[in-house]
Amino acid sequence: MKILLKGGRVIDPAAGRDGQFDVLIDNGLIAAVGANLPGEQTAGAQVTDCRGKLVLPGLIDTHGHNYQYVTGRFGLNPDLCGVRSGVTTLVDQGGPSCITLAGYRHFLVERSDTRMLAFLSAYLVGGLEGHYYPELYQPGCLDVAATVKAAKANPDLVKGFKAHAEIGGFARWGTEVMRDSARIAAEAGLPLYIHFGQLWPKPGDGGMPVDPDTIFNQVVEMLKPGDILAHPFSRNPGGFVEVNGKLHPLVKEALARGLKVDVGHGSHFSFRVARLVLDAGVIPDTLGADMHGYNTSVPAPAGTPDSHPDEEDHLFTGRTRFSLVSAMTSMLALGLPLNHVVAMATCNAAKMCGMEHELGTLAVGRVADVSVLDDLAGQWVLRDNEGNRVETDRWLQPAFCLRAGKRFEADAPILPVAEAVEGVAA
């Protein structure tokens, strides 16, 4: 079947294309991209008028939590965050582990319309119940050889590894867990994706004293080019911004060594911190949403805990609604150029996964993964969980996507709703 996406603004940074073009899909592949494609080429195609819309390579969310049910309340339905939110590919960050990867493939990857990839957990437990139980992530809960073996046996699925560099873990175990995680990634020859910003409270007793400003430099010394530093805009201590409110002095040195930066939006995203980091000249490479069951309003699976003692003020809970596309809107509101924001969620994300020759562009002959967004003008308010508000005159909203040429409407009920500036009609 032929599909013609007619007259949209096609932005394909990998191809250096930005302009009004037609995109022709034939049998699930990109058949042609051009201005006013001739009738003999498009004859018989199902036409969709995309004038006024953005037509992009299929969006890639570099930070998902989608091992539904196995990770308890934490894991969200893949298609809810994926094709039904205008996103064609999800990268699960640390949900499956070496002992649960087979289930992830069989029950999620093979049964979802969204393409699913994984950065395998460095920990045996993976993302069980959202890291509410820190003792499951101690040094004895890693198996370097087994994790490397699982990755090498599943190269189509495993594109890297996930670990945490944060105050609660360092106070409990020092740097041992991070060193083993870096060893896993080095032996497998894949990138390591590191969570920065406090995740667990410090232990009540018996913990080691930890200066949050020392976390970054200790971790960077263990890493290799291509490893990914996540959450540069986190409101929690122990990341890119020191306690004194200034950019950590080693951040730019880390980037010069070839390390990459992923926004990993999440509930800890702060417009205040983002402004500090961007003004210091640090521009992230990729953009993940970091949606999960504790910061997204979805029903909890039957049998999971109704609450936890520390849930009310846990460091990764949050009530502000967001998605990958709304995170793109936030990046625009912070002043990043549209073409870079698109690259973050397309070709840069594909490169992070080592799939730049398969995904992230609308090149002829590639699989027809396409995201179509409404590019709306108006006056809206963006908020974060720290209480900051930013006004923007641009709102990106997913309209639909094509996954291997199959159309999916962006009808996910979890998508955020634009909030108009008070007294101004949206």
Side-chain angles (χ1 to χ4, degrees):
M1 181 177 118
K2 285 186 178 181
I3 299 170
L4 181 64
L5 304 179
K6 184 72 176 171
R9 180 181 175 184
V10 174
I11 303 178
D12 185 354
R17 179 178 282 122
D18 182 355
Q20 189 170 1
F21 296 100
D22 300 340
V23 178
L24 180 66
I25 293 101
D26 191 359
N27 197 29
L29 301 176
I30 303 294
V33 181
N36 298 312
L37 291 174
E40 59 269 21
Q41 189 174 19
T42 62
Q46 181 183 85
V47 180
T48 298
D49 185 354
C50 291
R51 287 174 296 179
K53 300 181 186 296
L54 302 181
V55 179
L56 313 176
L59 296 178
I60 302 169
D61 188 340
T62 55
H63 195 137
H65 293 290
N66 302 104
Y67 202 164
Q68 191 178 20
Y69 303 124
V70 170
T71 54
R73 294 175 61 201
F74 201 56
L76 297 174
N77 178 269
D79 290 337
L80 197 67
C81 302
V83 291
R84 294 181 61 195
S85 290
V87 176
T88 58
T89 298
L90 293 174
V91 183
D92 192 295
Q93 286 292 345
S97 72
C98 63
I99 59 176
T100 63
L101 181 60
Y104 181 74
R105 178 187 291 277
H106 182 69
F107 293 108
L108 278 298
V109 176
E110 295 176 357
R111 287 163 169 74
S112 299
D113 289 308
T114 307
R115 177 188 285 104
M116 299 180 69
L117 305 170
F119 270 48
L120 199 64
S121 175
Y123 318 95
L124 294 171
V125 297
L128 291 185
E129 203 51 50
H131 313 299
Y132 260 108
Y133 307 104
E135 294 308 318
L136 295 175
Y137 298 85
Q138 60 185 288
C141 293
L142 281 77
D143 186 328
V144 173
T147 304
V148 171
K149 180 180 179 181
K152 289 185 173 181
N154 297 272
D156 62 318
L157 182 56
V158 178
K159 303 301 178 181
F161 302 93
K162 171 74 179 295
H164 302 87
E166 59 82 57
I167 298 164
F170 274 47
R172 288 173 171 83
W173 315 302
T175 62
E176 185 177 352
V177 172
M178 269 304 310
R179 291 192 182 280
D180 281 348
S181 300
R183 182 180 158 202
I184 288 168
E187 291 188 12
L190 291 171
L192 181 64
Y193 185 105
I194 305 106
H195 169 108
F196 280 103
Q198 187 168 6
L199 175 66
W200 294 306
K202 292 180 181 180
D205 53 60
M208 295 175 280
V210 176
D211 177 354
D213 291 344
T214 67
I215 299 280
F216 192 91
N217 50 292
Q218 290 183 75
V219 172
V220 166
E221 293 302 319
M222 307 176 196
L223 303 180
K224 63 186 185 304
D227 288 346
I228 301 131
L229 314 175
H231 310 309
F233 305 151
S234 174
R235 59 191 164 98
N236 298 328
F240 280 55
V241 174
E242 294 185 299
V243 173
N244 64 13
K246 296 181 180 179
L247 186 75
H248 194 288
L250 282 182
V251 170
K252 291 187 178 179
E253 181 180 332
L255 303 188
R257 294 185 192 180
L259 299 177
K260 301 298 181 180
V261 179
D262 182 79
V263 169
H265 186 287
S267 46
H268 35 63
F269 170 84
S270 163
F271 280 110
R272 173 186 60 84
V273 176
R275 186 75 278 146
L276 291 169
V277 173
L278 293 172
D279 286 350
V282 175
I283 308 299
D285 301 284
T286 52
L287 176 63
D290 191 11
M291 299 171 68
H292 52 70
Y294 295 102
N295 63 26
T296 306
S297 296
V298 292
T304 55
D306 293 328
S307 62
H308 291 268
D310 57 357
E311 181 171 323
E312 191 62 33
D313 60 353
H314 199 282
L315 293 160
F316 56 70
T317 55
R319 292 177 175 81
T320 300
R321 291 173 68 178
F322 59 93
S323 68
L324 180 62
V325 175
S326 76
M328 294 172 70
T329 297
S330 294
M331 296 303 103
L332 294 175
L334 285 163
L336 292 182
L338 176 60
N339 279 64
H340 181 72
V341 173
V342 172
M344 291 168 77
T346 57
C347 56
N348 291 2
K351 188 172 183 179
M352 177 187 125
C353 298
M355 298 184 73
E356 62 268 35
H357 301 299
E358 301 173 54
L359 305 177
T361 182
L362 298 175
V364 171
R366 295 282 185 94
V367 64
D369 285 2
V370 187
S371 294
V372 178
L373 313 183
D374 290 315
D375 186 5
L376 306 175
Q379 290 182 267
W380 294 281
V381 175
L382 305 176
R383 302 180 187 274
D384 62 26
N385 284 308
E386 195 177 48
N388 302 301
R389 78 190 287 278
V390 170
E391 293 189 9
T392 182
D393 59 4
R394 193 172 202 172
W395 178 270
L396 301 184
Q397 182 76 21
F400 65 91
C401 71
L402 302 179
R403 168 71 183 97
K406 182 179 178 181
R407 178 167 173 154
F408 297 89
E409 302 301 321
D411 61 0
I414 60 173
L415 286 169
V417 177
E419 177 188 351
V421 173
E422 188 174 353
V424 178

